[in-house]
Amino acid sequence: MSEQNSGSGLSQEELDDLVASSDTGGRNPSNKAILKAMAIIAFLWALFQVWIASPIPYEVGFGVFSSREARSIHLGLALILCFMAYPAFKRSPRDHIPVTDWILLIAGAFCAFYLFVADLAIVGEIFGDRLSDRPNNPNTFDIVVFCVGIFCLFEATRRSLGPPLAILGILFLLYTYFGPYFPGLLQWKGASFGAMAYHQWLSQSGVFGIALGVSTDLVFLFVLFGALLDKAGAGSYFIKVAFSLMGHLRGGPAKAAVVASGMTGLISGSSIANVVTTGTFTIPMMKRVGFNNEKAGAVEVASSVNGQIMPPVMGAAAFLMVEYVNIPYFDVVKHAFLPAIISYIALVYIVHLEAMKQDMQALPRATVAKPVKLQLLSFLMSAAMFVAIGGGVAWLSEAYLALQSAPSLMIAAGVALAAIIVLCKVISASASEGTKAAVFSTFTMVVGYCIVGGVFLMYLLDTLEQGLDGAGMSFLLPWVVGALLILVYVFLVRICATYPDLEPDDPDSEIVSLPLPKPTIMSGLHFLLPVLLLIWMLMVERKSPSLSAFWAVALMMFILVTQRSLFAFFRGETGGQLGQGVRDLVDGMISGARNMIGIGIATAAAGVIVGAVSQTGIGSALADLVELLSQGQLILILIWTAVLSLILGMGLPTTANYIVVSSLLAPVVVALGQQNGLVVPLIAVHLFVFYFGIMADVTPPVGLASFAAAAVSGGDPIKTGFVAFFYSMRTALLPFLFIFNTDLLLIDVGPVEAVLVFIVATAAMLIFTAGFQGYFFARSRIYESVLLILVAFSLFRPGFWMDMIVDPTTSVPPGSIVEQFERAEPGTELRLLVDGLDSVGEPLSFTAIVEVPEGATGEERIANFGLELIIDGNDVVIDNVTFDSPAEAQGVFDWDQKIVDVMVASDQPPKELIWIPAIVVLILVALLQSRRQKALATA
């Protein structure tokens, strides 16, 4: 290890082998025919996935696959590639495929394809019945298929993901069959072998369940999109852009690594590949400016792993959330947006504090920076120009009265955009450099153009849609939009071609010079087009993730084939670039398919666990066990959930970890929240599990991303893992915060309130980071760190302290419940303390939060809520819960329960008043540290 620490890490070839062994398979057969077969199968897999995601099969009436059939083919191809690409053991041959692997390959593929083949009409004609003709009644051959298939799946899991997930799957199968022999809470009646075989393999409840369905329908396309984008050169482009913009700051290479990894997270579904892709460039640069091996690797790990939480393209588990929580992907992105941004800002701040601690110097800027006053002036001038012209066209002109249709609004936005462009051209042509510096703010101009251009684009599409609908040619809309996209793409390539290609830098070179920002950004503008298309489809058009990814992939395929030829054309070069473009496309498709092997296997294997949970009811048993351990306290159950995620994270990949923990514990957290009087949205619990799940690649002692970073940096992988885990504490804090403060997830929050939440939450997270890192304006003393953490907590949860000062509710006799419903304003909340029995007859007490509905009287409002009550003095008993009512939807009320207390809102002062003493304490700590820092500087 000492030798490795003294060096600069592994060679590029060794790093490629590391990524291959964990992500795409480490076998490289010497037989060219075998290599070609592997490439063809991977390419056909990618082609199949693009085909089933496209609208073409439905248009031509050919090649339409059901979800069951598609999942069968998806897993079959994943198993074939897994046994071809992954050796059985470290000492197994890598230059050829042994006979045993060929046998496993054929057996595994047959068992996976069995669900598709056994349901074909020709099979029914030959054998008398099809698989779907014998639901829950498997024959002997079906059971044999299950036995062989599950063995092959677990062996593929062991090879591609390691033993833990396979062992976990085996344990759950044993529990399913031997349930009667388990002790106490875990005991259940057990399932017959045939019932288990059918549930796990032949139905869509186990291996071929929701998890594999999400992998088939959604995840593959996004991974393929990332692979194509990376093959086109976007990965290198993002890294260069980050360095050109942030490399001049203190600890600049590390800050650039955070930003680059965030952008690369858009195109990489693997933390390990992200670490190696950006880390080979960023880690040596970080070491050059003063970071040691472990800290340089840890910064890269923390930023790369966080790429999975960065919208709009999050990790594979985010797509599973769509199915498990049953909400649109748009809502998942909306809820995840603020925590992800705050997490990345905090990581940049951690890097800044590390640079301050070690007094690191910045790299020289590639351009002369504007003075602060000039930056502020140019920001205001640029903003004023957009506001004046845009507002003038939209609101002040007499033409506003005509803006009642999409065409008129499109023309208005187009006029505003053209006026701004013309004005900018005039100023650029005639004004001095000083005037241009005072007028133009690059950031404001980019944001302004995006806003005005986005409005123009939105109304242009509306106009096209209305025009084609009116002409009865709505089928032409995708073709027209596609043609417009191609025109924009060609225009962007024409701009990019006027700038030189980005040259790869050697981060170990003696002289490090930062690239110029403008040429760097302009040289790859066309890479942004497919990303923007994907965001537009997901966030504006609200299309399904599958269809959105298909159109983004289709555009990327066109870009890969044509970009070389277009660049050559606009630069006046000659050569057969089209053929190279086709080869790039094929390589990208193959790379995307091979990146999916592990994910496809993981979702199938995790499906065994999900199937066992649904078949055995172990979820309720674990709920009782966890409730016993947590003593009914929500914070303890959250800690147990986090610990379980971290323990499983030592052996499971992120996706499998999320599936297991969310299946077992998400319903428990929601139920315990209700018993504690806290409405915990299901999406908040799933994001909680997701956040701790992403730490699977960080958690020592087996965090694979930490090993990859250590291989690049030449550091100790265990130390790198612990430092990365320490840096990731801000990610571990956020889930606890948004469970208790759902404003962070933008749940029932307006635009103005969302801005306030973002500002306060970001400030609180930075203060927490400073307290945890032991450095603010100077090195913190212990009491200063404690005070900073308390200040951060007070900003995050001011209600905690205010509730201790003034009780938020006042108890009133339960017999006055009708009167309280009548007094309360519709939309406000009442709290009901309810006693009753749970599903097994044990005493149960919980607090229910009731939103008062509309109604003329208290009785009418209670009836509208869905409760029928028997009131005898202060004895209030629930006689019935109305079907399809708000009360039934809460899932906690039942007949014969007793309402023992009614709590109404008290006259509590605004909780934000707690911010005042918190800010005073913060200022005092800042003054103390500033004075101490000045004293050290003058000493």
Side-chain angles (χ1 to χ4, degrees):
M1 185 59 69
S2 59
E3 181 180 317
Q4 195 183 41
N5 280 333
S6 63
S8 60
L10 303 182
S11 68
Q12 186 60 47
E13 185 178 348
E14 290 170 319
L15 290 172
D16 290 341
D17 286 343
L18 174 67
V19 176
S21 62
S22 62
D23 280 357
T24 61
R27 182 177 281 147
N28 188 21
S30 56
N31 189 318
K32 291 185 178 179
I34 300 296
L35 272 177
K36 190 174 289 186
M38 292 172 68
I40 291 172
I41 292 169
F43 179 77
L44 290 176
W45 189 16
L47 211 57
F48 167 75
Q49 296 290 160
V50 173
W51 173 263
I52 63 172
S54 75
I56 298 173
Y58 302 95
E59 294 292 336
V60 300
F62 170 77
V64 178
F65 292 88
S66 69
S67 176
R68 179 189 178 101
E69 293 166 345
R71 294 175 192 183
S72 171
I73 296 171
H74 181 83
L75 179 59
L77 293 171
L79 287 171
I80 290 172
L81 287 174
C82 180
F83 288 118
M84 294 181 85
Y86 287 88
F89 304 101
K90 287 184 179 179
R91 295 183 178 179
S92 298
R94 292 171 179 255
D95 59 347
H96 69 276
I97 302 175
V99 175
T100 51
D101 286 6
W102 283 112
I103 294 171
L104 288 170
L105 181 156
I106 295 168
F110 173 80
C111 294
F113 291 143
Y114 181 73
L115 270 74
F116 173 47
V117 175
D119 239 4
L120 294 174
I122 190 171
V123 172
E125 292 176 7
I126 296 173
F127 296 101
D129 66 342
R130 296 184 296 175
L131 183 61
S132 56
D133 295 332
R134 45 181 190 275
N136 215 14
N137 185 30
N139 58 30
T140 304
F141 190 74
D142 293 338
I143 294 174
V144 171
V145 166
F146 159 72
C147 294
V148 175
I150 208 75
F151 173 80
C152 292
L153 175 61
F154 285 150
E155 171 58 15
T157 304
R158 185 194 65 79
R159 293 186 185 203
S160 59
L161 305 168
L165 182 56
I167 293 171
L168 204 58
I170 293 169
L171 290 176
F172 271 88
L173 285 182
L174 292 174
Y175 174 71
T176 303
Y177 188 67
F178 293 104
Y181 305 102
F182 276 73
L185 281 174
L186 296 178
Q187 190 177 67
W188 83 290
K189 66 177 184 178
S192 67
F193 199 83
M196 182 176 70
Y198 186 86
H199 190 83
Q200 290 287 3
W201 196 268
L202 305 173
S203 72
Q204 289 181 275
S205 302
V207 171
F208 297 92
I210 289 175
L212 187 63
V214 172
S215 176
T216 305
D217 299 335
L218 302 178
V219 179
F220 193 105
L221 284 174
F222 282 90
V223 171
L224 179 61
F225 174 69
L228 295 176
L229 203 53
D230 191 45
K231 188 64 184 177
S236 173
Y237 171 72
F238 288 153
I239 295 170
K240 288 280 191 176
V241 168
F243 266 87
S244 69
L245 295 176
M246 303 193 70
H248 64 279
L249 303 173
R250 269 196 170 191
K255 292 173 181 174
V258 175
V259 175
S261 294
M263 291 191 291
T264 308
L266 289 173
I267 65 172
S268 173
S270 164
S271 302
I272 299 161
N274 200 343
V275 165
V276 173
T277 301
T278 56
T280 48
F281 185 73
T282 59
I283 288 175
M285 292 281 279
M286 283 188 266
K287 289 166 63 177
R288 179 175 172 77
V289 296
F291 285 85
N292 63 30
N293 290 355
E294 285 74 28
K295 286 186 177 179
V299 169
E300 182 58 47
V301 170
S303 52
S304 293
V305 168
N306 269 208
Q308 294 191 60
I309 66 173
M310 193 68 187
V313 183
M314 299 163 68
F319 300 107
L320 288 161
M321 253 182 252
V322 173
E323 297 295 330
Y324 288 158
V325 187
N326 196 27
I327 61 174
Y329 184 70
F330 172 85
D331 288 346
V332 174
V333 169
K334 182 183 77 172
H335 297 318
F337 181 71
L338 275 192
I341 295 295
I342 293 169
S343 180
Y344 264 104
I345 292 173
L347 184 55
V348 171
Y349 188 54
I350 286 173
V351 168
H352 177 73
L353 293 177
E354 288 287 357
M356 295 293 289
K357 282 182 192 178
Q358 300 180 45
D359 195 27
M360 295 179 187
Q361 299 305 309
L363 296 172
R365 292 183 69 114
T367 57
V368 179
K370 284 184 188 180
V372 176
K373 289 183 179 178
L374 201 56
Q375 288 183 28
L376 181 60
L377 177 61
S378 63
F379 171 80
L380 294 174
M381 291 291 288
S382 296
M385 179 171 62
F386 277 96
V387 172
I389 295 177
V393 172
W395 297 96
L396 303 179
S397 72
E398 294 180 358
Y400 173 69
L401 296 175
L403 303 185
Q404 302 298 324
S405 65
S408 302
L409 290 163
M410 178 196 70
I411 293 170
V415 169
L417 187 61
I420 293 167
I421 293 172
V422 170
L423 182 59
C424 291
K425 291 286 185 183
V426 170
I427 294 173
S428 297
S430 58
S432 64
E433 291 299 322
T435 303
K436 285 190 281 188
V439 171
F440 295 129
S441 163
T442 304
F443 173 77
T444 313
M445 296 297 291
V446 170
V447 172
Y449 276 128
C450 287
I451 292 172
V452 179
V455 171
F456 173 75
L457 178 60
M458 182 169 63
Y459 289 121
L460 171 63
L461 293 175
D462 282 349
T463 302
L464 284 172
E465 188 173 4
Q466 290 176 15
L468 291 172
D469 280 345
M473 294 186 292
S474 57
F475 63 92
L476 289 177
L477 182 63
W479 299 98
V480 175
V481 173
L484 289 174
L485 270 175
I486 291 171
L487 286 175
V488 172
Y489 160 62
V490 173
F491 174 71
L492 289 176
V493 171
R494 185 175 181 276
I495 295 173
C496 297
T498 60
Y499 295 88
D501 290 332
L502 296 178
E503 294 294 332
D505 289 335
D506 180 6
D508 294 317
S509 61
E510 290 297 321
I511 301 173
V512 177
S513 59
L514 295 174
L516 290 166
K518 184 178 178 180
T520 303
I521 294 170
M522 300 299 285
S523 65
L525 283 177
H526 64 298
F527 292 136
L528 302 179
L529 188 59
V531 177
L532 292 175
L533 172 64
L534 180 61
I535 295 171
W536 183 275
M537 295 289 287
L538 283 171
M539 311 304 291
V540 180
E541 295 293 328
R542 305 284 186 94
K543 300 296 184 185
S544 69
S546 177
L547 188 61
S548 302
F550 164 74
W551 288 116
V553 166
L555 180 59
M556 264 318 305
M557 293 169 73
F558 182 80
I559 289 174
L560 264 175
V561 172
T562 59
Q563 66 171 351
R564 290 177 181 271
S565 299
L566 285 174
F567 270 95
F569 174 76
F570 287 122
R571 290 171 177 169
E573 300 170 356
T574 56
Q577 301 291 346
L578 190 62
Q580 184 58 48
V582 173
R583 285 190 288 274
D584 287 343
L585 172 61
V586 172
D587 289 345
M589 299 275 279
I590 293 169
S591 176
R594 294 196 63 162
N595 288 339
M596 269 301 300
I597 297 172
I599 298 175
I601 298 296
T603 51
V608 172
I609 298 165
V610 176
V613 170
S614 65
Q615 189 172 19
T616 64
I618 190 177
S620 60
L622 283 176
D624 292 339
L625 179 62
V626 171
E627 188 174 355
L628 181 67
L629 291 172
S630 65
Q631 298 297 309
Q633 296 298 313
L634 182 62
I635 188 67
L636 287 178
I637 181 67
L638 291 173
I639 292 171
W640 279 112
T641 304
V643 169
L644 178 61
S645 294
L646 292 176
I647 292 172
L648 289 175
M650 295 181 185
L652 301 187
T654 304
T655 308
N657 192 351
Y658 166 76
I659 293 170
V660 173
V661 180
S662 64
S663 299
L664 295 175
L665 293 182
V668 185
V669 175
V670 174
L672 274 181
Q674 289 174 333
Q675 292 179 29
N676 283 266
L678 181 69
V679 175
V680 183
L682 190 57
I683 181 64
V685 181
H686 279 261
L687 282 171
F688 181 95
V689 174
F690 180 48
Y691 265 64
F692 279 99
I694 68 168
M695 298 181 76
D697 289 331
V698 181
T699 313
V702 290
L704 295 179
S706 300
F707 276 82
V712 178
S713 68
D716 183 298
I718 302 298
K719 288 182 181 177
T720 301
F722 275 107
V723 176
F725 186 78
F726 187 69
Y727 287 165
S728 297
M729 284 306 296
R730 84 227 179 275
T731 307
L733 174 69
L734 275 169
F736 286 96
L737 294 173
F738 59 59
I739 286 287
F740 292 101
N741 181 9
T742 55
D743 289 351
L744 277 173
L745 301 181
L746 300 181
I747 294 175
D748 298 327
V749 171
V752 176
E753 193 179 354
V755 173
L756 179 63
V757 167
F758 173 70
I759 293 171
V760 173
T762 303
M765 181 54 73
L766 296 183
I767 295 166
F768 170 81
T769 300
F772 209 78
Q773 291 291 312
Y775 195 100
F776 192 30
F777 288 92
R779 289 189 182 276
S780 300
R781 290 167 181 165
I782 293 176
Y783 73 88
E784 290 173 338
S785 292
V786 172
L787 286 174
L788 287 172
I789 291 172
L790 284 175
V791 167
F793 178 77
S794 301
L795 291 177
F796 269 124
R797 279 211 71 201
F800 177 83
W801 304 114
M802 187 59 75
D803 290 349
M804 295 177 69
I805 299 169
V806 179
D807 200 309
T809 60
T810 302
S811 292
V812 297
S816 66
I817 186 171
V818 176
E819 182 184 352
Q820 300 306 326
F821 263 85
E822 189 166 339
R823 282 183 182 179
E825 290 291 327
T828 58
E829 291 178 347
L830 297 177
R831 294 180 178 234
L832 307 179
L833 182 59
V834 182
D835 286 346
L837 301 176
D838 63 14
S839 57
V840 292
E842 294 293 325
L844 173 70
S845 182
F846 63 90
T847 302
I849 298 177
V850 175
E851 184 176 318
V852 178
E854 296 284 348
T857 64
E859 290 89 346
E860 187 177 335
R861 290 178 177 182
I862 292 174
N864 289 342
F865 178 66
L867 292 180
E868 296 178 12
L869 305 177
I870 298 174
I871 303 175
D872 182 13
N874 279 328
D875 290 334
V876 181
V877 178
I878 298 175
D879 187 46
N880 189 32
V881 180
T882 308
F883 176 73
D884 198 25
S885 64
E888 189 197 38
Q890 285 197 10
V892 292
F893 293 105
D894 202 355
W895 66 279
D896 216 26
Q897 290 175 339
K898 188 175 182 180
I899 298 174
V900 296
D901 197 7
V902 177
M903 290 164 280
V904 298
S906 63
D907 294 327
Q908 187 187 62
K911 61 183 180 181
E912 287 77 14
L913 289 176
I914 298 296
W915 290 349
I916 296 173
I919 292 171
V920 170
V921 171
L922 177 66
I923 292 171
L924 288 175
V925 173
L927 289 174
L928 283 172
Q929 294 203 357
S930 296
R931 188 176 300 173
R932 192 162 66 246
Q933 185 70 9
K934 287 178 183 177
L936 288 172
T938 55

